[in-house]
Amino acid sequence: MPEPTLQIVIASTRPGRIGLPVAQWFEERARDHGAFAVDVADLLEIDLPFLDEPNHPRLREYTKQHTRDWSARVDSADAFVFVTPEYNYSLPAALKNAIDFLHFEWQYKPVGFVSYGGISAGTRAVQMIKQVVTTLKMYALPEAVSIPFVAQFLDDEERITPNETMEQAADAMLGELRRMSDALSALRAG
Ligand SMILES: Cc1cc2nc3c(=O)[nH]c(=O)nc-3n(C[C@H](O)[C@H](O)[C@H](O)COP(=O)(O)O)c2cc1C
């Protein structure tokens, strides 16, 4: 049987974003871990407009090609990791918008978080995202990678050099994501 697909969603769309090197580090870790086939969904590249569908996404009556493409992309995933900064103690608007576009595509899928920021390591944003994703019947994991003062982990080439805590946290989260993805697969099939 093929491995389930983990979709890593890059939430920051800002020029010069640290989210890109953070996601690149995590992507490499996820590929080495081996529990999942990995897909990276970069919200900057995907470039969704602000929600412009007339119908509730529960109806799946999408009128725009960008929505149909995003729907197919999220449908194809079995589990997610949101790589997210914290903006004003909350989640980036681009991530909330991308979530709001869809409904059933998210259901019965686990989600883990790689968050980063200053002293809070993005954890206040994660707490807010959890409120949103539970509405969609996603299962948010407590295991997480929380990176405080993220700039300290950037090397001269703007790549992330992780510490052992980050590596262990990533592996623990990936292991739990796989367990949860397998456990929820019966509900997704239904
Ligand atoms: C609009 C804005 C709001 C921010 N708010 C917070 C915040 O509430 N907490 C925090 O720890 N850092 C905050 N920061 C600093 C970010 O953690 C830092 O800029 C980080 O690099 C943002 O991620 P990005 O580079 O991937 O966009 C904020 C940055 C921006 C641009």
Side-chain angles (χ1 to χ4, degrees):
M1 227 164 68
E3 298 298 347
T5 298
L6 173 69
Q7 190 170 100
I8 299 171
V9 177
I10 307 180
S12 170
T13 57
R14 218 173 49 81
R17 60 198 170 146
I18 295 184
L20 184 61
V22 172
Q24 286 167 337
W25 160 69
F26 185 78
E27 177 191 357
E28 200 178 316
R29 192 81 193 173
R31 289 190 193 281
D32 288 349
H33 183 272
F36 291 98
V38 176
D39 174 37
V40 177
D42 182 347
L43 294 186
L44 177 63
E45 277 174 21
I46 291 167
D47 197 23
L48 289 166
F50 276 123
L51 181 58
D52 60 353
E53 288 288 346
N55 306 309
H56 193 290
R58 204 187 302 122
L59 302 172
R60 280 198 194 242
E61 288 171 1
Y62 301 135
T63 64
K64 304 281 184 344
Q65 191 56 42
H66 56 249
T67 315
R68 288 190 280 270
D69 292 346
W70 181 228
S71 167
R73 189 84 180 264
V74 172
D75 247 348
S76 73
D78 300 290
F80 298 90
V81 166
F82 292 168
V83 177
T84 187
E86 176 176 294
Y87 293 157
N88 298 314
Y89 288 22
S90 186
L91 68 156
L95 178 60
K96 179 65 163 57
N97 187 53
I99 294 170
D100 290 343
F101 258 95
L102 308 177
H103 187 85
F104 289 113
E105 295 87 338
W106 300 112
Q107 271 199 358
Y108 304 126
K109 297 178 182 178
V111 55
F113 302 95
V114 175
S115 70
Y116 54 92
I119 195 164
S120 71
T123 53
R124 292 173 293 218
V126 168
Q127 288 306 107
M128 288 210 171
I129 300 168
K130 284 179 176 174
Q131 291 183 35
V132 177
V133 297
T134 54
T135 310
L136 292 161
K137 298 191 188 179
M138 295 182 87
Y139 290 86
L141 295 189
E143 289 80 8
V145 182
S146 312
I147 310 173
F149 300 111
V150 61
Q152 70 180 310
F153 296 103
L154 284 177
D155 65 19
D156 293 345
E157 291 168 349
E158 302 285 296
R159 289 177 56 88
I160 292 287
T161 306
N163 63 20
E164 211 181 314
T165 305
M166 288 160 61
E167 291 178 333
Q168 286 173 359
D171 290 348
M173 185 172 74
L174 287 160
E176 282 299 294
L177 272 170
R178 177 60 198 261
R179 280 159 56 90
M180 197 58 116
S181 170
D182 289 350
L184 292 171
S185 62
L187 289 174
R188 289 199 293 280

